[in-house]
Amino acid sequence: MDMMNVTWNAAVDKVVILDQTKLPGRVEYVELATAEDVYQAIFKLKVRGAPAIGICAAFSMYVLALAMPQEEYGDFSREFSRTKEYIASSRPTAVNLRWALERMEKVVTAHPSSPIQEICKMLKEEADAIQREDIEMCRRIAQYGLSLVKDGDGILTHCNAGPLATSRYGTALGPVFLGKERGIDLKVFADETRPLLQGARLTSYELQKGGIDVTLICDNMASMVMKNGWVQACFVGCDRVAANGDTANKIGTSGVAILAHHYKIPFYVLGPSSTIDLDCPTGADIPIELRAPQEIKEQFYSQPMALPETKCYNPAFDVTDHSLITAIVTDRGIFRAPYTESLQKMRS
Ligand code: MRU
């Protein structure tokens, strides 16, 4: 279950990621040596999932810091901030990326009189802490999530919020993996998740490998499996939760929530407290990443499926209105409406 999606190779001082664009066909690891490598790995979704990109960015900032000017603090910190902003611009929606980068930058700004080598050591410790905390947060989310379901229940999930997207258990898939350990069997329906197929390529892959009963469906089959009575709860991840509970997650998530509401199926968002952005008042304030038309028209097809001149709209995320969310399950507990109050209390 530990997918080793992001690791730091001590022998060469490089970040090593599992290239998720190659799954499920090939398990390939790539080294990230430059800021451009890191930007491209995140932008091209070689590493993806909100917590995983934060962890990757944190380790990368440490590795890149080793090659920054080591004599003058001013030169070092300017270069550090410039690189941090560049990497933060690779994907705008998941708040964990900026959150992790800002934690790393605080290490630099808090120690203006320390030798740079000392600061680099602290940066490594901070990156380790971010990863360690994510493992612990996922474990707690899994426990809280498991309390919401019972043996034999069917769970519908969208995109991938499992070990590949996080650390160890994952968030939305955490209760499923923890349930398996405890003899509580959950059956998962995985939306394939157009256009980049994270559900087909990653979720069904990691659940299958974990010995979980998983059934892959096309996104437009979710209504049918719900109508058939096969789904007792929806578990989805999140890229950013606004202060009022509105939640950005992979495109298509809000459609699942609307269906769940229609069929009276509880719809749960599971994510670490680091994904809750109290500085973002509502979903309308969440930046939504737009991606290339080629992902809709060509990617994964052996030949283009639309004319080159056909216009496409390809938002990578949508926002699920807080009114459709039964509860938000975090490492700090299960939060229910009114979210403006409950999420505020979570942070205090
Ligand atoms: O574009 P992706 O694959 O990075 O999108 C990922 C998702 O939407 C996940 O559901 C989200 O990041 C939560 S990961 C625990």
Side-chain angles (χ1 to χ4, degrees), residues 45 48-51 91 94 158-162 165-166 171-172 198 236-239 249-250 270 289 316-317:
L45 275 59
R48 35 75 44 213
R91 294 196 80 188
H158 190 77
C159 194
N160 173 261
T166 63
T171 54
Q198 289 92 333
V236 299
C238 46
D239 287 83
N249 192 52
K250 178 52 54 193
L270 297 89
E289 176 185 2
F317 300 94

Side-chain angles (χ1 to χ4, degrees), residues 16-182:
V16 180
I17 57 160
L18 171 60
D19 184 348
Q20 298 191 33
T21 62
K22 299 284 179 2
L23 290 172
R26 292 205 302 277
V27 175
E28 266 182 37
Y29 291 88
V30 284
E31 283 182 358
L32 307 179
T34 65
E36 176 71 11
D37 289 346
V38 179
Y39 181 99
Q40 290 299 333
I42 296 174
F43 178 70
K44 292 185 177 159
L45 275 59
K46 291 183 179 187
V47 54
R48 35 75 44 213
I53 58 178
I55 294 164
C56 175
F59 277 116
S60 299
M61 285 310 297
Y62 157 66
V63 168
L64 297 170
L66 295 174
M68 289 177 191
Q70 302 282 307
E71 303 308 321
E72 288 290 325
Y73 174 82
D75 294 341
F76 174 79
S77 71
R78 266 191 299 281
E79 180 65 8
F80 192 93
S81 298
R82 202 187 54 76
T83 308
K84 173 212 136 193
E85 282 307 321
Y86 171 61
I87 292 176
S89 68
S90 56
R91 294 196 80 188
T93 303
V95 72
N96 303 62
L97 177 59
R98 188 160 276 281
W99 169 85
L101 287 166
E102 269 160 18
R103 263 182 76 162
M104 297 299 281
E105 190 175 44
K106 267 194 201 128
V107 173
V108 176
T109 51
H111 299 92
S113 329
S114 303
I116 311 294
Q117 288 77 1
E118 214 32 59
I119 297 178
C120 287
K121 247 180 76 190
M122 289 188 268
L123 285 170
K124 170 68 177 41
E125 285 162 10
E126 190 69 0
D128 281 335
I130 290 172
Q131 188 171 46
R132 218 176 29 246
E133 288 166 25
D134 193 56
I135 294 170
E136 184 51 24
M137 288 195 281
C138 287
R139 197 183 56 75
R140 291 210 208 114
I141 293 166
Q143 280 169 345
Y144 286 121
L146 193 56
S147 72
L148 298 167
V149 287
K150 56 179 192 333
D151 190 41
D153 275 357
I155 308 295
L156 187 134
T157 193
H158 190 77
C159 194
N160 173 261
L164 283 164
T166 63
S167 313
R168 301 268 160 86
Y169 285 106
T171 54
L173 299 187
V176 178
F177 284 112
L178 184 66
K180 172 91 184 158
E181 277 177 22
R182 297 187 177 172

